[in-house]
Amino acid sequence: MTNIRDIAKMAGVSVTTVSRVLNDHPYVKDDKREAVLNAIEKCNYQKNINAVHLRTGKTLLIGIVLPFSDHPYFTLLIKGIAQEALKQNYKLVLFQTNYQESKEIEALDMLKHKLIDAVIICSRICDWSIINEYTQYGSIILCEDTRGKKVSSTFIDHYKSFLFALDYLYKKGHSKIGYCIGRRSGTNSQQRELAYKDFLKKINVPFNSEYIFDDCLNFEDGEQVINQIKTMNTPPSALLVTSDQVAAGIVTCCQNQNISIPDELALIGFDNQPISEYMNITTIDIPLVEIGRKLFIQAFQEYITNEEIPARLIERKTV
Amino acid sequence: MTNIRDIAKMAGVSVTTVSRVLNDHPYVKDDKREAVLNAIEKCNYQKNINAVHLRTGKTLLIGIVLPFSDHPYFTLLIKGIAQEALKQNYKLVLFQTNYQESKEIEALDMLKHKLIDAVIICSRICDWSIINEYTQYGSIILCEDTRGKKVSSTFIDHYKSFLFALDYLYKKGHSKIGYCIGRRSGTNSQQRELAYKDFLKKINVPFNSEYIFDDCLNFEDGEQVINQIKTMNTPPSALLVTSDQVAAGIVTCCQNQNISIPDELALIGFDNQPISEYMNITTIDIPLVEIGRKLFIQAFQEYITNEEIPARLIERKTV
């Protein structure tokens, strides 16, 4: 790729001179200007629009921080963000962190250095105090409850929706209820664990850590869950499964092993992904595309807003 | 966000003066320089790294052109691209085109204007002649057979792999074979149609356009296919399904409607996505993550390469 240095070499002038010509600076001699313009013409050099960005202070790029780009939960969020971005001529810059703190900070540093206009953090690993430091540099939007903090957010009340689903299973006769979670240490997961423990206290059932299945993210993790359950003396009779992908994996595994759903094991998935509809999985609808759209809009609002999106139960055939 | 204009206002100087201070330009009076530096300090303004990019000619951004970001085919490609990008400290800029020509050209224009260092086109709508015009501006990589053209590519020989799958079904006793395709007009689809027609000639069976099911992209499209087949007097006894998602939808729909697979309908999926393994779908393995990785590496090679990736059949339970 031709850069300003190549042009300078071709024209036999300094880089500073090329820069002055590009920026219509007055202190350039005519013959040097001519040489630079000829060199530019010769190699089809386009004036770098980054120079324009310097003037407007806008890059029309928005950073998206997410652990993986190949999970339906995140691809649906991205879909919503992309829909709004398209309307406003913004491009998405993906920061796939694999939950490495340093990768998250890289996105925040790009905001600080004006390389992107805003950052949407779909799921974070960094402590809030770190993110808080960066709020002075530009718009940071989160997909979790940030009420009382200095950033906008669109979120599901995971405590409330988890408790609702647990109560629903209890009313259907279940008291041995376990759950599958993607990353137990996550912010949303902590709210869910709190709801779970409060629910157990309410129905007077002791907490059993065996009933929490961690690292459940994909279809194939469903089989792991069933294998674990089969080794238990007192297996759960119902599971909340925080991803429909995992719930679909559990249903498929149960079909292969002749475990009857919902008689032997009841299931509630989360997200209402297309697969849950086609596999008839009862699920908690989380409108991820809508949430994605709202996150983008919030990124360019002048005031801070925190919007809670209601989740709702969709009754199908697995409870 | 504070920009150069705000700084100029605060310091009581012109934008040009601020620019000169930021670029360590000699022709600035000391008192003006001091005023600018004070203003910058006051509002935490970071020197825009875009200025650095002007000097190095690199943005460390790579454009990814794809029709949708929420389909497993593309998310697996992105996963591979992202893995390599992570290693080389590049960020992905997504251009979600929905197969609109203008959106594809926007990515090419950003390459032309040096806003991104390279473009990977995962699936294109633009005619080759348009893309060809932009090859002079930087690295453009395609995910289709571009042998003989001036761009690098990593690709599957879709003619060969389609023909192989058709022959396999024929050997298993099928001669009424149809296929499901995402977008019949696409470059890869045209190769597949050619293979299909050549195969029919070889086995002496007339072409029946009813046997081609277009617009099959997602899980839910599987039901449509089955509904169409049920209206036919002479339905196909086997289908090639160019996405495992659609194949999974067909399997699920057949289970619900008590259509026996493979006895009443045999299926071969494509991609070898995780769902095909767990639903025991015979499929053509296309190593999308590996292809994604190679596409990224090609973007920064100094010479043009065209690499064919072999596809292979994975025998499971649907043929």
Side-chain angles (χ1 to χ4, degrees):
Chain A
M1 189 194 294
T2 312
N3 66 26
I4 199 166
R5 224 173 259 143
D6 301 325
I7 303 283
K9 215 169 159 185
M10 283 174 71
V13 301
S14 70
V15 168
T16 315
T17 304
V18 179
S19 169
R20 286 183 198 166
V21 173
L22 287 171
N23 291 297
D24 280 327
H25 196 291
Y27 307 108
V28 184
K29 283 184 189 159
D30 282 351
D31 58 336
K32 286 193 176 175
R33 184 183 302 275
E34 195 60 26
V36 170
L37 292 175
N38 284 341
I40 287 173
E41 213 163 282
K42 211 179 272 171
C43 60
N44 249 317
Y45 184 81
Q46 293 289 326
K47 184 178 168 178
N48 192 319
I49 289 186
N50 284 312
V52 177
H53 290 170
L54 262 177
R55 253 169 271 141
T56 63
K58 268 192 192 174
T59 62
L60 296 179
L61 297 175
I62 183 165
I64 314 297
V65 171
L66 73 180
F68 344 96
S69 56
D70 62 328
H71 189 281
Y73 177 89
F74 296 109
T75 53
L76 289 170
L77 273 181
I78 291 177
K79 186 180 183 174
I81 296 170
Q83 281 176 3
E84 283 301 322
L86 205 66
K87 286 189 206 164
Q88 303 198 31
N89 209 21
Y90 262 82
K91 304 287 164 286
L92 275 46
V93 180
L94 295 192
F95 294 85
Q96 191 176 317
T97 63
N98 299 322
Y99 286 127
Q100 287 171 41
E101 212 175 46
S102 63
K103 289 285 156 197
E104 212 163 295
I105 290 173
E106 212 179 319
L108 296 167
D109 276 335
M110 277 185 73
L111 180 71
K112 181 171 169 178
H113 295 129
K114 315 286 179 204
L115 283 166
I116 48 180
D117 296 345
V119 174
I120 295 174
I121 301 179
C122 298
S123 178
R124 70 177 160 97
I125 180 84
C126 276
D127 193 73
W128 166 249
S129 63
I130 292 175
I131 292 169
N132 194 28
E133 275 176 42
Y134 284 87
T135 53
Q136 61 183 307
Y137 301 116
S139 184
I140 301 173
I141 313 296
L142 274 79
C143 188
E144 63 181 64
D145 187 353
T146 60
R147 282 174 291 196
K149 298 186 174 111
K150 281 188 304 180
V151 295
S152 288
S153 58
T154 301
F155 61 95
I156 297 288
D157 186 329
H158 287 287
Y159 179 92
K160 203 159 69 184
S161 59
F162 219 59
L163 200 58
F164 176 82
L166 288 163
D167 281 333
Y168 177 83
L169 286 173
Y170 186 67
K171 274 178 208 144
K172 293 279 182 178
H174 297 281
S175 56
K176 288 177 295 174
I177 306 172
Y179 72 91
C180 307
I181 196 92
R183 187 177 55 118
R184 197 172 162 187
S185 59
T187 318
N188 293 338
S189 302
Q190 283 168 16
Q191 284 182 47
R192 285 163 161 169
E193 186 158 335
L194 199 62
Y196 182 66
K197 287 178 174 165
D198 286 350
F199 167 75
L200 291 181
K201 263 183 223 153
K202 202 171 66 178
I203 65 164
N204 222 347
V205 166
F207 174 75
N208 175 358
S209 66
E210 261 200 338
Y211 276 17
I212 303 184
F213 302 85
D214 200 3
D215 296 318
C216 291
L217 273 164
N218 298 308
F219 193 93
E220 47 270 39
D221 297 321
E223 194 175 353
Q224 285 286 92
V225 172
I226 294 302
N227 289 343
Q228 255 175 277
I229 285 180
K230 280 162 65 182
T231 65
M232 294 181 181
N233 293 327
T234 316
S237 68
L239 288 178
L240 292 190
V241 187
T242 59
S243 157
D244 281 333
Q245 288 294 311
V246 180
I250 291 176
V251 169
T252 304
C253 180
C254 286
Q255 276 169 354
N256 293 341
Q257 304 198 16
N258 293 317
I259 297 168
S260 164
I261 290 177
D263 301 336
E264 292 173 69
L265 185 65
L267 289 180
I268 296 182
F270 274 78
D271 296 350
N272 193 26
Q273 289 167 18
I275 200 170
S276 70
E277 186 177 349
Y278 285 85
M279 293 184 81
N280 260 317
I281 298 169
T282 298
T283 193
I284 303 284
D285 180 38
I286 297 185
L288 292 164
V289 177
E290 188 194 338
I291 291 173
R293 277 201 305 267
K294 285 180 185 286
L295 289 168
F296 182 89
I297 291 166
Q298 286 179 312
F300 300 103
Q301 274 174 346
E302 283 182 21
Y303 36 87
I304 286 170
T305 55
N306 302 106
E307 186 166 352
E308 183 187 333
I309 301 290
R312 66 190 175 98
L313 182 78
I314 297 179
E315 294 185 282
R316 296 194 183 112
K317 300 276 169 71
T318 55
V319 176
Chain B
M1 189 194 292
T2 311
N3 66 25
I4 199 168
R5 224 173 257 141
D6 301 325
I7 303 282
K9 215 168 157 185
M10 283 176 72
V13 301
S14 71
V15 167
T16 315
T17 304
V18 178
S19 168
R20 287 183 196 166
V21 173
L22 286 172
N23 292 296
D24 280 328
H25 198 291
Y27 307 107
V28 185
K29 284 184 187 160
D30 283 351
D31 58 337
K32 286 193 176 175
R33 184 184 302 277
E34 193 62 24
V36 170
L37 292 175
N38 284 342
I40 287 173
E41 210 164 284
K42 212 180 270 171
C43 61
N44 248 318
Y45 182 82
Q46 294 289 326
K47 184 179 169 179
N48 192 320
I49 289 188
N50 283 314
V52 177
H53 290 172
L54 262 178
R55 250 169 275 142
T56 63
K58 269 193 189 172
T59 62
L60 297 178
L61 297 175
I62 183 165
I64 314 296
V65 171
L66 72 181
F68 344 96
S69 56
D70 61 329
H71 190 279
Y73 177 89
F74 296 110
T75 53
L76 289 173
L77 273 182
I78 291 177
K79 186 181 184 175
I81 296 170
Q83 281 176 4
E84 283 302 321
L86 204 67
K87 286 189 205 161
Q88 302 197 31
N89 209 23
Y90 262 79
K91 304 286 163 286
L92 274 46
V93 181
L94 294 191
F95 294 85
Q96 192 175 316
T97 63
N98 298 322
Y99 285 125
Q100 286 171 43
E101 213 175 45
S102 63
K103 289 286 156 196
E104 213 163 294
I105 291 173
E106 212 179 317
L108 296 167
D109 275 334
M110 277 184 73
L111 180 71
K112 182 172 168 177
H113 294 128
K114 314 286 179 204
L115 283 165
I116 47 181
D117 296 345
V119 174
I120 294 174
I121 301 180
C122 298
S123 179
R124 69 179 161 96
I125 181 83
C126 275
D127 191 72
W128 167 250
S129 63
I130 292 174
I131 293 171
N132 194 28
E133 275 176 43
Y134 284 88
T135 53
Q136 60 183 308
Y137 301 117
S139 185
I140 301 174
I141 313 297
L142 274 80
C143 189
E144 64 182 64
D145 188 351
T146 61
R147 282 175 291 195
K149 297 188 175 109
K150 280 188 307 180
V151 296
S152 289
S153 58
T154 300
F155 61 95
I156 297 288
D157 186 329
H158 288 287
Y159 179 92
K160 203 159 69 183
S161 58
F162 219 59
L163 200 57
F164 177 82
L166 289 163
D167 282 334
Y168 177 83
L169 287 172
Y170 186 67
K171 275 179 207 143
K172 294 276 181 179
H174 296 281
S175 55
K176 290 178 294 174
I177 306 173
Y179 71 91
C180 306
I181 197 91
R183 187 179 55 118
R184 198 172 160 187
S185 59
T187 317
N188 293 337
S189 303
Q190 284 168 15
Q191 284 184 45
R192 284 161 161 170
E193 188 159 334
L194 198 62
Y196 183 66
K197 287 178 174 166
D198 285 350
F199 166 76
L200 292 180
K201 263 183 225 156
K202 202 170 64 178
I203 66 163
N204 223 346
V205 166
F207 175 75
N208 176 358
S209 67
E210 261 200 337
Y211 276 17
I212 303 183
F213 302 85
D214 201 3
D215 296 318
C216 292
L217 274 163
N218 298 308
F219 193 93
E220 47 271 39
D221 297 321
E223 196 176 353
Q224 287 286 93
V225 172
I226 293 302
N227 289 344
Q228 257 176 273
I229 284 181
K230 280 162 66 183
T231 65
M232 293 182 184
N233 292 326
T234 316
S237 67
L239 288 178
L240 291 191
V241 188
T242 60
S243 156
D244 281 333
Q245 288 294 310
V246 179
I250 291 177
V251 169
T252 304
C253 179
C254 287
Q255 276 169 356
N256 294 340
Q257 303 198 19
N258 293 317
I259 297 169
S260 165
I261 290 178
D263 300 337
E264 291 173 70
L265 186 65
L267 288 179
I268 296 182
F270 275 78
D271 296 351
N272 192 27
Q273 289 167 19
I275 200 170
S276 71
E277 186 178 350
Y278 285 87
M279 292 183 83
N280 260 318
I281 297 170
T282 297
T283 192
I284 303 285
D285 180 38
I286 297 184
L288 293 163
V289 177
E290 189 193 338
I291 292 173
R293 276 201 306 265
K294 284 180 186 288
L295 290 167
F296 182 89
I297 291 167
Q298 285 178 312
F300 298 103
Q301 273 173 348
E302 284 181 22
Y303 38 87
I304 286 171
T305 55
N306 301 109
E307 187 165 353
E308 184 188 333
I309 301 290
R312 66 191 174 98
L313 181 78
I314 297 179
E315 295 185 281
R316 295 193 183 113
K317 302 273 170 73
T318 56
V319 177

